[in-house]
Amino acid sequence: DADVTQTPRNRITKTGKRIMLECSQTKGHDRMYWYRQDPGLGLQLIYYSFDVKDINKGEISDGYSVSRQAQAKFSLSLESAIPNQTALYFCATSGSGGSNEQFFGPGTRLTVL
Amino acid sequence: QKEVEQNSGPLSVPEGAIASLNCTYSDRGSQSFFWYRQYSGKSPELIMFIYSNGDKEDGRFTAQLNKASQYVSLLIRDSQPSDSATYLCAVGIQGAQKLVFGQGTRLTINP
């Protein structure tokens, strides 16, 4: 089984709808991250969390919110989706010690019409 | 100036040759550096990380770091068509609590 899973893998929705993307991990990591990737661009950090009670905004948090329901679960919500939020969304995890490398989930492809 | 800059390419290299990918960063306090490979439509996969000045080798891959010049590179020896992908450079900031990614370099290995 994959260490970091994301659901759904693909989603098409309409402008104004509320959407939730979910991320679960079995790596036992404390830190979890949400990124978006637009075609030809690198990864932009939306939100990150270092434990259940710690939530931090990234560089592009406007229009998004998150919930850390448990150490293993980190959800991203689009309160009112708009077309320019069409992108590939990745969840990532890392441990709090050692080399701090991040491990990515398979991604969710979101299309907002 | 972007925090992490890469040449977006595409970079085309013949099979069997050495592919050289470069990355510069702006934060002199950065201490950790990562190279990820991303196939089209897939998630980034960690190839290597490096913390110290100099070279770090892992199989066909060598990461090179020069903190004075704020420069990190990835060399791929004996390039294979399966190495064709986008390579993302990432730099740890705030004690590596966060990573800042470059836009990636698209590499094509020609048979």
Side-chain angles (χ1 to χ4, degrees):
Chain A
D1 290 340
D3 295 322
V4 185
T5 58
Q6 293 183 233
T7 56
R9 295 294 311 280
N10 289 281
R11 181 71 184 268
I12 300 173
T13 191
K14 295 181 179 180
T15 297
K17 295 292 187 180
R18 185 177 188 273
I19 296 297
M20 179 180 286
L21 309 182
E22 299 187 348
C23 177
S24 295
Q25 52 110 352
T26 58
K27 299 183 77 68
H29 286 165
D30 295 323
R31 301 178 180 181
M32 299 186 75
Y33 306 80
W34 275 105
Y35 292 92
R36 70 174 276 175
Q37 187 175 41
D38 297 281
L41 299 180
L43 296 158
Q44 295 177 281
L45 183 62
I46 306 172
Y47 271 95
Y48 60 104
S49 169
F50 289 164
D51 64 39
V52 174
K53 297 181 181 179
D54 178 79
I55 302 290
N56 304 281
K57 292 182 177 181
E59 52 188 310
I60 57 162
S61 59
D62 287 348
Y64 301 94
S65 63
V66 291
S67 173
R68 185 83 183 264
Q69 301 95 323
Q71 185 202 33
K73 296 183 181 296
F74 192 34
S75 299
L76 175 72
S77 294
L78 286 67
E79 298 302 326
S80 179
I82 56 177
N84 75 1
Q85 291 178 313
T86 294
L88 192 53
Y89 289 84
F90 290 105
C91 173
T93 74
S94 72
S96 56
S99 57
N100 294 318
E101 65 264 38
Q102 293 184 14
F103 299 90
F104 286 81
T108 295
R109 185 170 297 280
L110 177 66
T111 302
V112 183
L113 301 177
Chain B
Q1 180 187 6
K2 292 182 181 178
E3 291 187 72
V4 179
E5 294 204 45
Q6 297 179 253
N7 187 327
S8 60
L11 176 64
S12 184
V13 173
E15 183 176 358
I18 296 175
S20 178
L21 304 163
N22 305 314
C23 174
T24 58
Y25 60 95
S26 60
D27 185 354
R28 284 194 170 276
S30 299
Q31 296 293 324
S32 55
F33 307 87
F34 304 83
W35 282 101
Y36 286 83
R37 177 177 62 199
Q38 186 178 25
Y39 293 114
S40 181
K42 303 296 184 182
S43 59
E45 172 192 11
L46 182 68
I47 299 174
M48 293 188 70
F49 59 86
I50 186 168
Y51 294 154
S52 303
N53 275 330
D55 295 359
K56 180 181 179 182
E57 186 174 321
D58 184 0
R60 295 187 296 111
F61 298 94
T62 299
Q64 299 175 318
L65 175 62
N66 184 326
K67 290 185 179 179
S69 300
Q70 295 173 246
Y71 177 95
V72 58
S73 64
L74 179 70
L75 302 178
I76 306 174
R77 291 183 300 281
D78 189 23
S79 298
Q80 303 297 310
S82 59
D83 295 326
S84 298
T86 295
Y87 289 80
L88 300 169
C89 171
V91 176
I93 62 171
Q94 298 180 7
Q97 293 181 349
K98 299 194 300 182
L99 296 183
V100 177
F101 286 83
Q103 75 271 34
T105 297
R106 187 156 58 92
L107 174 66
T108 299
I109 306 300
N110 300 308

